[in-house]
Amino acid sequence: MRHTGRIDPVKPQIQPQLQPHELGLYQAPDWTFEIMTTSFIVSRRSLKLAARSAMPTWQSRLFIFLARNAADASAYFPIPAGRVVEIGTQVNV
C-alpha cells in the first residue's frame, strides 16, 4: 500500500496519496467495494486558547491560526463529502 502524502524518511520526497478508486485493488476476492455506500471516518481537532499555557500567548495564537487554516482530511482526500463522518476533540493550547 502506498503512503498517503507523507514524507518517506528513507527517500525524502512526498509520496502520492491513495485514491479512493485504488481501494478496490486491496480487497478480498469475495468482497465488493462501492464508494458511495462506504463511510469514511476522519478526525477533527479544535484548538482553543488556554488560560495558562507553557507557550507564550503570541506563539499559541500563531499555532491556532495555522492549524485552523490547514486543509481538513475530507478536503485533502478526494472522497465524497456525503460519506464522511467526522469525530472531533477540543484541545487547549
Side-chain angles (χ1 to χ4, degrees):
M1 187 181 237
R2 292 191 295 169
H3 294 282
T4 57
R6 297 191 177 160
I7 296 177
D8 187 358
V10 178
K11 297 178 186 174
Q13 62 188 17
I14 296 177
Q15 302 293 324
Q17 66 185 11
L18 181 66
Q19 300 293 321
H21 67 274
E22 292 176 320
L23 291 174
L25 301 174
Y26 304 105
Q27 67 187 17
D30 59 342
W31 182 68
T32 59
F33 174 73
E34 296 290 332
I35 193 154
M36 292 310 292
T37 60
T38 304
S39 296
F40 296 90
I41 300 173
V42 298
S43 66
R44 176 177 292 262
R45 196 173 350 189
S46 176
L47 301 176
K48 303 290 181 189
L49 191 61
R52 292 183 176 221
S53 176
M55 288 194 295
T57 305
W58 69 269
Q59 197 171 14
S60 296
R61 289 183 188 271
L62 177 63
F63 182 73
I64 291 170
F65 173 76
L66 293 174
R68 285 185 183 157
N69 288 322
D72 56 345
S74 59
Y76 180 75
F77 294 106
I79 53 180
R83 305 303 312 162
V84 175
V85 177
E86 288 186 348
I87 298 175
T89 59
Q90 287 187 348
V91 179
N92 289 327
V93 178

